[in-house]
């Protein structure tokens, strides 16, 4: 009897953890259910190239990128190569409980310089910044540049801003955004958590996964 009960509790734990899924939204192809990143102003980001810089060479980095695609933007009001007047943004609205941003960083020191200065906001509140200084080699690398940590499971809006007004040169090569969410087709994890709490007094100390 006790054995059967233990099996039931363990399968509840498995259901609860299986309900959390990570969803990756590609910069170009979006994610499931048609979710897409929006780019503002639209012409400041270019798929497969560097928006805002007409004479920057096309970086040969699609092999580094999720789904082989990326969106680049350069912002520097003081740089004659740059045609944008306000910092470019990439925005994603999602239903989830955390979010992270994946970019490709450039180690080039010219045309354009790989200095990157990003600001991340969730629901209009600034959460973090990311700054990168290129090493001077002609290489690129992928990196997670922002992780939100836990957010309440709800609708959220993430904004990635490239550079700042009057803030110097900034290059962003955006690859993808990953968010975690509750797979609502499975039993809700809060209902399962409640049943675990009720049954916990008899639970052996090492029954947690
Ligand atoms: C989701 O991503 C986070 C962060 O990378 C990772 O710790 C977690 O194990 C992933 N969860 C699933 C269900 O893949
Ligand atoms: C989240 O946003 C979507 C799209 O706007 C809406 O259909 C849905 O009802 C919202 N969900 C919650 C829990 O607010």
């Amino acid at each position: 009897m006790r054995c059967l009960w233990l099996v039931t509790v363990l399968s509840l734990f498995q259901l609860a953890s299986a309900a959390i899924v990570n969803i990756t939204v590609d910069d170009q192809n979006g994610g499931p259910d048609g979710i897409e990143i929006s780019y503002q102003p639209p012409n400041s980001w270019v798929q497969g190239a560097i928006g805002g810089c007409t004479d920057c060479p096309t970086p040969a980095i699609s092999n580094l990128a999720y789904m082989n695609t990326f969106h680049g933007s350069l912002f520097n009001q003081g740089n004659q190569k740059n045609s944008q007047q306000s910092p470019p943004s990439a925005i994603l609205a999602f239903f989830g409980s955390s979010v992270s941003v994946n970019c490709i960083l450039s180690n080039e020191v010219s045309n354009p310089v790989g200095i990157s200065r990003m600001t991340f906001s969730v629901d209009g509140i600034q959460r973090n910044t990311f700054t990168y200084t290129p090493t001077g080699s002609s290489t690129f690398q992928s990196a997670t540049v922002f992780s939100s940590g836990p957010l309440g499971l709800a609708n959220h809006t993430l904004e990635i801003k490239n550079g700042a007004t009057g803030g110097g040169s900034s290059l962003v090569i955006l690859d993808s955004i990953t968010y975690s969410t509750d797979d609502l087709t499975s039993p809700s994890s809060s209902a399962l958590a409640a049943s675990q709490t009720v049954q916990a007094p008899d639970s052996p100390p090492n029954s947690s996964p």
Side-chain angles (χ1 to χ4, degrees):
M1 194 60 187
R2 189 179 171 87
C3 270
L4 184 62
W5 180 87
L6 184 57
V7 166
T8 307
V9 171
L10 287 176
S11 65
L12 284 172
F13 273 113
Q14 279 159 8
L15 274 175
S17 56
I20 302 293
V21 292
N22 288 338
I23 294 178
T24 297
V25 182
D26 182 57
D27 66 287
Q28 174 70 12
N29 299 304
D33 304 327
I35 184 170
E36 284 189 342
I37 300 169
S38 72
Y39 297 97
Q40 291 175 2
N43 65 354
S44 62
W45 296 86
V46 174
Q47 200 277 311
I50 308 298
C53 183
T54 46
D55 62 353
C56 291
T58 300
I61 52 173
S62 53
N63 59 320
L64 284 179
Y66 177 68
M67 290 190 167
N68 301 115
T69 63
F70 60 90
H71 268 70
S73 78
L74 180 73
F75 183 64
N76 184 357
Q77 286 172 313
N79 183 340
Q80 292 180 342
K81 291 180 182 203
N82 185 243
S83 54
Q84 298 302 320
Q85 293 308 308
S86 58
S89 286
I91 296 161
L92 181 72
F94 63 96
F95 179 81
S97 53
S98 70
V99 65
S100 61
V101 176
N102 311 301
C103 283
I104 296 171
L105 303 174
S106 166
N107 286 307
E108 299 274 8
V109 287
S110 64
N111 205 30
V113 59
I115 292 172
S116 192
R117 313 164 199 264
M118 298 179 228
T119 306
F120 306 95
S121 301
V122 177
D123 305 328
I125 296 167
Q126 185 177 320
R127 290 291 190 126
N128 212 344
T129 59
F130 178 87
T131 304
Y132 188 72
T133 304
T135 60
S137 66
S138 297
T139 58
F140 294 83
Q141 69 203 64
S142 22
T144 299
V145 295
F146 173 68
S147 293
S148 69
L151 308 168
L153 180 66
N155 279 331
H156 296 288
T157 302
L158 167 75
E159 180 180 12
I160 305 159
K161 198 185 275 188
N162 180 11
T165 303
S169 178
S170 180
L171 171 71
V172 173
I173 301 175
L174 179 63
D175 185 12
S176 65
I177 298 175
T178 303
Y179 66 94
S180 24
T181 192
D182 206 309
D183 178 1
L184 297 174
T185 57
S186 298
S188 96
S189 41
S190 55
L192 293 169
S195 68
Q196 285 156 16
T197 306
V198 168
Q199 294 172 354
D202 287 331
S203 177
N206 63 349
S207 70
S208 295

